[in-house]
Amino acid sequence: MTQPQPSSTLSEAIRKHKEFLFPAVATYYQEPIALTRGEGEFVWDDQGNRYLDAFGGVLTVSVGHANPEINKAWIGQVNTIAHTSTLYANKPQGDLAEKLAQITPGDLKRSFFTSSGTEADDTAHMVAKIATGRHEIVVLRHSYSGRSATALSSVGHSTWRPLPSQVAGIVHAMAPYCYRCPFGATPDNCGAACANDIEEVIQTTTTGQIAAFMAEPILGVGGFIVPPPGYFERAYEIARNHGGLCISDEVQTGWGRTGDKWFGIEHWGVTPDIMTSAKGMGNGVPIGWTITTDEIAATYPGLTFATFGGNPVSMAVGLAVVNYIEENDLRTNARVVGDYFRGKLDELKDKYQVIGDVRGLGLMQGIELVKDRTTKEPDPQSVLKVFEETKRQGVLIGKGGLYGNVIRTGMMLNTTKDSVDQLIAALDAGLALC
Ligand SMILES: Cc1ncc(COP(=O)(O)O)c(C=O)c1O
């Protein structure tokens, strides 16, 4: 394969991006890439370079770019009817809602569709407040929720908070970040101290009775932080003891991403009262989703409406994605190829001191880079070096973490061991430069 060539002049797309978009809309790489085409696991830039897309536009292209089966549903729906608003029923919305009631855990049954993860999380906050009559919500440090006033107030990263909290009553408990345990403990001796912190936060910073506890089963933007065993059982127990509903934010962890299960929370032995998702559910169409029980949904008074919520195009695509994952057994593929990938990442950790931690589940795997394994000083500069070299090798990866020192990957759910080998070879070349 020919390696991507650096372009000497900025492409038209990049020049306009730099001139006309908010400067805050940052792009990856010293020389940004403008993508023009995608097919399966590959994308092409406007210089004609091909890349293995190992990030999927942030875990969003879940079953391949321009997947013919998904596109058939997509284009078919565009050619039939593209918009109705929720004032009229539409078949794809009903079919998708029915399917989701079947595959979600517990008594989750009633869906509300929107266009983004932000709106999905906002809806969850609203429903929890209405159902409980209370207003305080416990979220986690290092979490991410989006850009609205509510979501922004929930985000647990200063880097993603351009404004202070806009909504009162949202409080942040410690993250279950074992590699950087806020209590200086290890998973075998901690006694779930981070989960117990939820109780302390409720007792010291709220009225003592909360509307909800909301958490991602693996903190995505936070750098694929995987909680220790028992964390969620204790966290949900505490939240419920204080009157709270439990919300699982599955924006990144849903749809088989973590292997074997449809949803990340199913790995942790608890059942949420409300669940949200977006991203990989639509393989690229704007979509947001909140699901709860009959009982909780029934408490929502009066009217609610989202112009593009449940639009037939997103719904038809969402249904096609869920069916595609099911029919091709991609939850198993995420576990099998994910385990293979993890083995290879662990080998890289043995080879390179700069890797402090490898973590994740299924096809949600990340590596945290540090300057020193003892001090664990974050090494975002090495992440940038790996970025430039993997790009040169024709592979796109992602990053995250509060310190920008975690390499995140989000390969397609229908990826293969061969593609993993290509990604590993590129990471190996990049890490060799650190
Ligand atoms: C866990 C989580 N929740 C919510 C969101 C917000 O989603 P959106 O960007 O679609 O509004 C994101 C986005 O990255 C996310 O990772």
Side-chain angles (χ1 to χ4, degrees):
M1 199 188 90
T2 53
Q3 288 186 336
Q5 299 303 310
S7 59
S8 48
T9 51
L10 284 184
S11 76
E12 189 71 352
I14 294 164
R15 185 187 63 72
K16 289 183 182 174
H17 184 113
K18 285 182 180 292
E19 189 171 349
F20 296 111
L21 273 76
F22 278 26
V25 186
T27 47
Y28 278 162
Y29 303 111
Q30 276 165 12
E31 273 201 57
I33 298 174
L35 295 178
T36 51
R37 188 163 80 82
E39 191 182 323
E41 289 189 89
F42 295 93
V43 288
W44 284 258
D45 69 15
D46 60 0
Q47 311 295 311
N49 299 309
R50 186 181 90 147
Y51 305 89
L52 171 71
D53 184 1
F55 201 37
V58 197
L59 285 68
T60 297
V61 180
S62 49
V63 294
H65 291 274
N67 181 312
E69 282 187 47
I70 308 304
N71 279 6
K72 192 170 157 217
W74 192 335
I75 295 161
Q77 192 59 49
V78 168
N79 284 334
T80 311
I81 184 166
H83 181 76
T84 58
S85 88
T86 45
L87 299 177
Y88 311 95
N90 74 71
K91 186 170 184 316
Q93 179 174 230
D95 289 348
L96 179 59
E98 180 185 44
K99 181 76 187 169
L100 297 174
Q102 289 161 1
I103 67 169
T104 43
D107 297 330
L108 298 176
K109 179 182 168 196
R110 296 272 179 178
S111 287
F112 184 73
F113 295 104
T114 48
S115 308
S116 67
T118 298
E119 292 169 89
D121 283 358
D122 280 12
T123 305
H125 275 237
M126 206 181 335
V127 170
K129 289 179 183 181
I130 291 166
T132 60
R134 290 187 284 275
H135 286 262
E136 287 157 314
I137 298 194
V138 180
V139 296
L140 295 180
R141 299 179 188 186
H142 299 267
S143 67
Y144 187 82
S145 241
R147 301 185 54 263
S148 67
T150 300
L152 171 61
S153 307
S154 305
V155 167
H157 293 85
S158 54
T159 36
W160 294 108
R161 289 171 71 108
L163 291 168
S165 280
Q166 305 292 294
V167 174
I170 297 174
V171 294
H172 292 77
M174 293 291 191
Y177 196 170
C178 294
Y179 182 65
R180 297 182 186 278
C181 177
F183 303 95
T186 58
D188 46 312
N189 75 5
C190 67
C194 49
N196 290 327
D197 182 59
I198 296 166
E199 181 129 66
E200 165 107 2
V201 165
I202 293 171
Q203 286 171 337
T204 57
T205 69
T206 76
T207 55
Q209 289 288 301
I210 58 170
F213 164 68
M214 180 167 98
E216 302 160 66
I218 295 175
L219 288 98
V221 174
F224 290 2
I225 297 171
V226 182
Y231 171 81
F232 268 101
E233 280 160 76
R234 183 75 187 114
Y236 275 31
E237 183 188 4
I238 293 167
R240 286 177 172 145
N241 284 345
H242 290 274
L245 298 173
C246 294
I247 305 171
S248 183
D249 178 339
E250 301 275 352
V251 170
Q252 297 205 14
T253 50
W255 319 110
R257 167 66 51 196
T258 55
D260 284 338
K261 317 277 189 192
W262 277 111
F263 300 100
I265 199 68
E266 294 176 275
H267 291 280
W268 305 131
V270 293
T271 306
D273 305 295
I274 304 172
M275 211 155 72
T276 66
S277 196
K279 288 195 190 289
M281 176 181 191
N283 205 44
V285 290
I287 195 164
W289 165 63
T290 310
I291 190 166
T292 189
T293 62
D294 261 332
E295 200 187 357
I296 294 170
T299 62
Y300 202 112
L303 302 170
T304 196
F305 174 78
T307 299
F308 296 113
N311 79 81
V313 177
S314 295
M315 299 295 99
V317 172
L319 185 60
V321 169
V322 172
N323 287 337
Y324 188 88
I325 292 169
E326 191 168 60
E327 285 157 16
N328 294 281
D329 200 11
L330 297 186
R331 284 171 289 160
T332 304
N333 192 60
R335 194 240 313 143
V336 173
V337 181
D339 284 352
Y340 174 78
F341 182 28
R342 177 53 174 273
K344 298 276 174 192
L345 289 174
D346 286 335
E347 284 172 22
L348 288 182
K349 187 180 173 198
D350 291 339
K351 192 168 170 187
Y352 296 109
Q353 286 292 311
V354 74
I355 300 181
D357 196 26
V358 178
R359 54 178 182 256
L361 272 182
L363 285 169
M364 189 172 182
Q365 298 287 342
I367 53 179
E368 175 155 1
L369 302 192
V370 290
K371 292 189 174 148
D372 180 309
R373 282 192 177 173
T374 309
T375 63
K376 299 184 180 176
E377 186 185 342
D379 192 353
Q381 295 83 4
S382 284
V383 168
L384 296 179
K385 282 187 201 158
V386 177
F387 257 68
E388 294 304 324
E389 181 57 25
T390 46
K391 176 190 171 200
R392 225 178 59 76
Q393 301 271 336
V395 174
L396 302 184
I397 54 173
K399 65 176 174 150
L402 180 62
Y403 317 103
N405 68 324
V406 181
I407 293 173
R408 294 193 292 158
T409 63
M411 303 191 78
M412 313 285 151
L413 299 173
N414 47 357
T415 191
T416 61
K417 291 180 181 174
D418 283 348
S419 296
V420 166
D421 288 343
Q422 191 185 336
L423 168 58
I424 289 290
L427 288 172
D428 198 344
L431 289 162
L433 302 175
C434 296

